[in-house]
Amino acid sequence: MNWKFNTLIVLLLNLSFVFTGCNQVEDPQAYGPVPSENQINWQKMEYYAFIHFSINTYTNQEWGDGGNDPRLFNPTALDCRQWARVCKEAGMKGIILTAKHHDGFCLWPSEYTDYSVKNSPWRDGKGDLVRELADACKEYGLKLGIYLSPWDRNYADYGKPEYITYFRNQLKELLTNYGDIFEVWFDGANGGSGYYGGAWENRKIDAKTYYDWENTFRLIRELQPKAVIWNDGGNRGDLRWCGNESGSIGETNWSLLDAKGDVKNEWLRYGKEDGDSWVPGEVNVSIRPGWFYHEYEDGRVKTLPELLTIYYNSFGRNAPLLLNFPIDCRGLIHENDEKAVLELAAAVKEIFAENLARKTQAEASNVRGNSKRFGADKMTDDDEDTYWATDDGVTNATVTVDFGKPTVFNRFLIREYIRLGQRVKAFTVEAFVNNEWRELAKETTIGYKRILCFPTTEATKIRFHITDAKACPLISDIGVYNAPQVLTPPEIFRNQSGDIRIVAADNESEIYYTLDGSVPGPDSKKYAQPVKTDGRKVNIKAIAYDPATKKSSPVAGEQFDISRKNWKVLNIADEKVNDIMDGNIHTAWFNEKDVKMPIDLIIDLGNEEELSGFRYLPGQGWKKDGMITNYEFYTSMDNQQWTLADKGEFSNIRNNPLWQIKSFKPVKARYIKLKALKNTHNNDAAGYAEFDLITE
């Protein structure tokens, strides 16, 4: 009996060892830099709002010069609860407020300056907009972030050491009086012309040393230990800029940079594969062309297709989206902006309502230690803390999802378990169609989340193939979706002769248009050839229409002023200069290299016109040369005697190279002269994609 009992004990111990060994597969180790808990929590937010509101709202400026009267700030119906409600309904997780922009005007009653809401008529000078927003965020379950511009065009001591004390005192006010702050945002605009306490001068600083960022960041860590810090230089904070304000980060997007040294522009967009620190990108973009409210942009709110593209090009590429609302003169998010952002929320909800991979069996070519803990099913279990993993050294592996029947899809979502680092360097997605594998996408990085869009495909299987990785891949989520069709509005162009072309985004849609500003439909005039306008002003609107589904795109619209048919550039012999009037924003003219600033552009309009403004579009694309920042605009009847009609700056044009619209007191003229005084690179280049006038 004892012998049998001892034998049984030995057998059970052996079995216990075997089964225990199977369950003791070693967990993957971290590879390379990994995110902090603050960065993890921030990345999970994915989508939050920017709020731009200040005196600029009432002066029609993007950057105020610091010399405006604080009494201009007087919203008649300001309601931070409306802001919070819209953001909550849009699916956003927080709001970052521009508490102080470059003009130095403070939206809270700072004890360190008189240039604030306490000297405005709003709330009889007793208001505190930061407090009202903090309370509204708390009510709606949103997190609060703070933007504080390092550049201050109002403060007399800007550029001196004393300003840093002032700057940090204001930072202390914002970080100690309004509860938890999830993100502190420092813009990269630094130094230039301004009011500066009445000095009205140009001041330059060394942005790398002047602010003593190391001690400023130490202060933030002490006062708000859970906050992440955004700084456009990238390696000085927790987050980096995406390199543009158009709503897009690179398809390749590493969440890595080097902790020290200069940051190349390409690293802002793509990250640095071998970076020594975890510094993920954030995409910031406005729902309108400008960051502050301008009434003339009420019809320029981004459409659903544009917002969806931004959605896929931001946190669909491993970068949370910071979407800006320019608060209007009433103190509200404009109804057009609200409508657009809620349409986006509804569309995203519909697109990702059903994960077609959730009800299927996923099989992997390699599973770490053959353990169920790291099986392919961990990618479809709705648990972000579980993941599929391969054995160490296996950096080429596949996961196949079998739908069991022909299935239609056009979106693919994938996520890495980033707590242990970002690993995947290259992957493909293939569909099993007609008994053969067909490649749908060939991509590089993944990160926290990657979403791929491709033509609608019907297949019985889909295969995710990692072709290269830094270490064994860790994939926490996989999703397959079928997004409904969303038609893109057509593009509208007018050439110098005044002929209007309307171009659809696809070859299947029909185009319908109106010329009186009314909303077109399938009963409107169908576009077949360029529209002759005989040089008159036109308010054209157009839609793309799918007769099969009877769906229409959002309305595209353009308001064209007088024709440029008779215009002639007088002082530039280069024929390519006519590109500035050809109606094609993708062509441009740049001055000859030996021409020095200031540079004149003189145009004979061919007729006497009553002018009330002009429009300037810099060269488009990633080329930043020749973007004019400071200008003077003159008019003349005889090309001899010139009168200054307007002067100023094109604020933020380098990061936001959109149409610059300037208005002035109406004046009659046949000749105009735009004098370029300065550009974004402080050299002698001047460039124009398009130039147009506004007539009375």
Side-chain angles (χ1 to χ4, degrees), residues 313-332:
N313 289 349
S314 55
F315 55 84
R317 291 182 179 173
N318 185 36
L321 172 60
L322 177 57
L323 182 65
N324 179 65
F325 292 113
I327 301 302
D328 67 22
C329 295
R330 299 169 298 176
L332 302 173

Side-chain angles (χ1 to χ4, degrees), residues 264-488:
K264 296 180 181 179
N265 287 334
E266 65 185 73
W267 294 347
L268 295 174
R269 185 164 174 78
Y270 303 110
K272 192 171 187 285
E273 181 179 337
D274 59 351
D276 60 21
S277 300
W278 190 273
V279 189
E282 176 188 79
V283 171
N284 59 311
V285 63
S286 184
I287 200 167
R288 294 168 175 241
W291 290 92
F292 284 93
Y293 178 78
H294 310 287
E295 185 178 1
Y296 56 76
E297 292 181 352
D298 284 351
R300 297 283 182 176
V301 178
K302 289 180 172 60
T303 64
L304 177 58
E306 290 174 310
L307 290 173
L308 281 171
T309 297
I310 290 170
Y311 178 98
Y312 292 127
N313 289 349
S314 55
F315 55 84
R317 291 182 179 173
N318 185 36
L321 172 60
L322 177 57
L323 182 65
N324 179 65
F325 292 113
I327 301 302
D328 67 22
C329 295
R330 299 169 298 176
L332 302 173
I333 293 177
H334 193 276
E335 44 268 34
N336 293 1
D337 302 29
E338 178 180 358
K339 179 176 181 291
V341 78
L342 295 184
E343 285 179 350
L344 174 63
V348 169
K349 184 177 181 180
E350 183 180 10
I351 291 168
F352 297 101
E354 182 183 7
N355 183 355
L356 300 173
R358 194 71 74 207
K359 302 175 183 179
T360 63
Q361 291 294 325
E363 295 185 359
S365 62
N366 180 279
V367 173
R368 188 176 187 83
N370 291 319
S371 172
K372 291 184 178 180
R373 289 177 54 223
F374 301 110
D377 62 312
K378 300 306 178 184
M379 295 184 292
T380 58
D381 63 359
D382 277 331
D383 186 344
E384 63 183 23
D385 292 321
T386 63
Y387 50 89
W388 163 60
T390 66
D391 290 319
D392 288 337
V394 177
T395 57
N396 189 310
T398 63
V399 172
T400 303
V401 175
D402 189 342
F403 300 113
K405 61 181 180 179
T407 301
V408 176
F409 55 88
N410 51 27
R411 299 289 185 272
F412 182 78
L413 182 151
I414 198 78
R415 287 168 50 153
E416 286 187 84
Y417 185 72
I418 61 171
R419 286 184 180 275
L420 297 179
Q422 187 179 3
R423 299 159 178 251
V424 176
K425 296 173 64 176
F427 70 94
T428 62
V429 178
E430 302 162 296
F432 197 62
V433 181
N434 297 328
N435 293 317
E436 65 178 11
W437 288 104
R438 179 185 303 169
E439 188 173 274
L440 299 177
K442 186 176 183 179
E443 299 295 340
T444 52
T445 54
I446 296 174
Y448 175 77
K449 180 180 287 187
R450 186 72 192 274
I451 304 173
L452 304 182
C453 305
F454 40 75
T456 301
T457 302
E458 185 176 61
T460 55
K461 301 177 185 179
I462 190 169
R463 184 165 67 185
F464 166 61
H465 182 194
I466 296 172
T467 57
D468 194 11
K470 293 182 176 182
C472 65
L474 314 178
I475 306 299
S476 63
D477 196 16
I478 191 171
V480 183
Y481 304 89
N482 185 34
Q485 180 189 34
V486 177
L487 290 175
T488 300

Side-chain angles (χ1 to χ4, degrees), residues 162-203:
E162 290 82 0
Y163 173 75
I164 304 306
T165 300
Y166 169 76
F167 178 65
R168 287 181 183 152
N169 283 336
Q170 290 194 318
L171 191 58
K172 289 178 185 177
E173 288 181 317
L174 292 168
L175 299 186
T176 57
N177 294 331
Y178 301 101
D180 290 339
I181 303 299
F182 84 90
E183 182 171 342
V184 180
W185 220 92
F186 295 127
D187 203 310
N190 292 287
S193 61
Y195 174 73
Y196 302 127
W200 288 112
E201 62 187 18
N202 189 62
R203 295 183 180 178

Side-chain angles (χ1 to χ4, degrees), residues 190-215:
N190 292 287
S193 61
Y195 174 73
Y196 302 127
W200 288 112
E201 62 187 18
N202 189 62
R203 295 183 180 178
K204 295 182 179 181
I205 56 98
D206 183 346
K208 294 180 181 179
T209 60
Y210 175 62
Y211 298 106
D212 183 20
W213 286 120
E214 183 177 350
N215 286 311

Side-chain angles (χ1 to χ4, degrees), residues 125-162:
K126 299 177 181 179
D128 184 341
L129 197 151
V130 181
R131 166 54 56 201
E132 292 190 20
L133 181 58
D135 292 344
C137 284
K138 185 176 182 180
E139 178 181 349
Y140 282 88
L142 299 171
K143 295 182 179 182
L144 177 65
I146 292 295
Y147 168 117
L148 183 68
S149 173
W151 186 20
D152 192 317
R153 302 173 90 172
N154 173 266
Y155 199 68
D157 285 337
Y158 180 81
K160 302 175 183 178
E162 290 82 0

